[in-house]
Amino acid sequence: MYWCTNEVEPQDRFDYWREVRAKGLFGVTAELERERRADFFGEFSLRQLGGAGLVELKASPYAVERSASDIANAPGDAICVYQQLGSGGWFGGMRTSDFSIASGSFATSHTDLPYRTAPLGAGGFHLRILKIPMSSIPAQDKRMRELSPRTFNDAALAPLLATCLADLGEAGADDAAADAASVVQTSLVQALAHLALIERGIVRPGSRRGQAALRTARLSQARRLIARRLQDPHLAPTMVADLLGISVRHLHMLFETAEKSFSQTVTDERLKQSRRLLRDTPERLIADIASACGFESLATYYRVFNAAYGMAPGDFRAKASDGH
């Protein structure tokens, strides 16, 4: 689902946003001074991924409240993970003290506790919000429904959360089969839920669920590091382990639980990148593409590509240009 205020007449945009989108869809009360409503802009996307809802929202500045009556009218019973992408935000009106959240930072909460929030500065809202239903989280604990909004302060866990959320947003966007994408999405959602619960002290890092979440997140980190360094022909486990701050043995243990080994993952990523380049840059020499993707020689690239796809790179490019 995608929606933007451009679909509504200017004089009606904020009223529609407040009544239909804010209250009807998100269960919050939106307020903005009447003289500022003519210039209001808002847009959001909502995707269902792995049993959770991933929202990205951009909007002009306004005030938001989730009151007791809002909660009664639209209970959510979910854990929320917020990522602040704009100029920063403020949360208040809770049992705990008010706090601000910087761009790139995270906060977590249960949906059914009251709060107020507003953006800091004139940039307005830019948020990514993952809403994970309580019913889909295996680790049930009554404290999960007592999580008032709070910033994600663990410096070691925050990068893992960012990696999983980025991977979730990209999952299924490639040419993977729908069933495989669904499994990946569900695994990432569970990891995100349990990372948040580790940070809030509800799940122990050493527990079975805690270890599984950490393993999923670190594997995501390793894969993203691989994807960023495909051009380096010396890409090897030692390099990735050093960048992650773990041992090579630990790195190989992460890939033992995955579908593909480290070397298979590197080859697969190089092939996928080469396919994109073959398709999107038809004027580029195949030898240049092979080198850009980190293959040690053109002969190696042809051999590996043909083994994976049953055709030569040039044949794939020809089929892609024909729209097949």
Side-chain angles (χ1 to χ4, degrees), residues 23 27-29 65-73 113-116:
K23 188 172 290 294
V28 297
T29 299
E65 180 177 9
R66 183 148 165 83
S67 65
S69 61
D70 289 327
I71 293 165
N73 291 330
L113 293 172
Y115 66 86
R116 295 196 302 272

Side-chain angles (χ1 to χ4, degrees), residues 63-314:
V64 175
E65 180 177 9
R66 183 148 165 83
S67 65
S69 61
D70 289 327
I71 293 165
N73 291 330
D77 198 25
I79 298 294
C80 270
V81 177
Y82 307 85
Q83 185 179 22
Q84 183 72 39
L85 299 174
S87 56
W90 166 87
F91 278 85
M94 305 163 300
R95 288 175 292 181
T96 53
S97 58
D98 298 0
F99 67 87
S100 61
I101 177 169
S103 180
S105 297
F106 293 89
T108 53
S109 71
H110 187 272
T111 54
D112 296 346
L113 293 172
Y115 66 86
R116 295 196 302 272
T117 185
L120 295 174
F125 285 107
H126 187 185
L127 295 169
R128 188 174 289 139
I129 307 164
L130 181 68
K131 187 180 291 187
I132 310 167
M134 287 280 288
S135 58
S136 72
I137 302 173
Q140 292 295 318
D141 187 303
K142 65 179 182 179
R143 292 174 295 171
M144 291 162 62
R145 291 185 170 87
E146 300 170 0
L147 298 178
S148 58
R150 195 181 81 185
T151 51
F152 204 94
N153 294 317
D154 191 313
L157 289 177
L160 300 178
L161 197 75
T163 297
C164 286
L165 197 58
D167 274 1
L168 182 64
E170 296 168 9
D174 211 335
D175 53 5
D179 289 346
S182 178
V183 170
V184 170
Q185 292 165 12
T186 301
S187 173
L188 288 167
V189 166
Q190 291 299 314
L192 283 157
H194 289 117
L195 288 171
L197 295 173
I198 288 172
E199 202 271 345
R200 299 299 290 262
I202 294 175
V203 169
R204 291 182 297 105
S207 68
R208 181 173 59 83
R209 293 189 176 102
Q211 287 182 330
L214 292 168
R215 187 165 55 246
T216 296
R218 287 174 181 144
L219 186 58
S220 281
Q221 278 191 316
R223 286 170 172 155
R224 294 184 83 81
L225 283 170
I226 288 169
R228 289 200 295 269
R229 287 166 172 79
L230 291 177
Q231 190 170 3
D232 190 340
H234 304 295
L235 178 62
T238 304
M239 175 194 294
V240 174
D242 287 345
L243 290 167
L244 288 175
I246 61 176
S247 68
V248 174
R249 181 175 177 274
H250 188 178
L251 181 70
H252 282 304
M253 286 175 63
L254 293 178
F255 280 92
E256 281 176 8
T257 63
E259 213 175 288
K260 297 173 183 173
S261 68
F262 179 91
S263 61
Q264 288 171 330
T265 300
V266 171
T267 299
D268 189 54
E269 288 296 323
R270 283 176 169 156
L271 286 170
K272 284 197 292 186
Q273 185 183 44
S274 78
R275 282 175 50 144
R276 286 192 291 269
L277 292 174
L278 287 167
R279 185 175 56 240
D280 299 340
T281 57
E283 73 290 346
R284 194 167 180 180
L285 293 174
I286 291 177
D288 184 35
I289 289 174
S291 175
C293 295
F295 288 97
E296 59 186 24
S297 70
L298 185 58
T300 299
Y301 176 52
Y302 268 83
R303 176 177 54 80
V304 172
F305 194 99
N306 191 67
Y309 304 120
M311 68 180 77

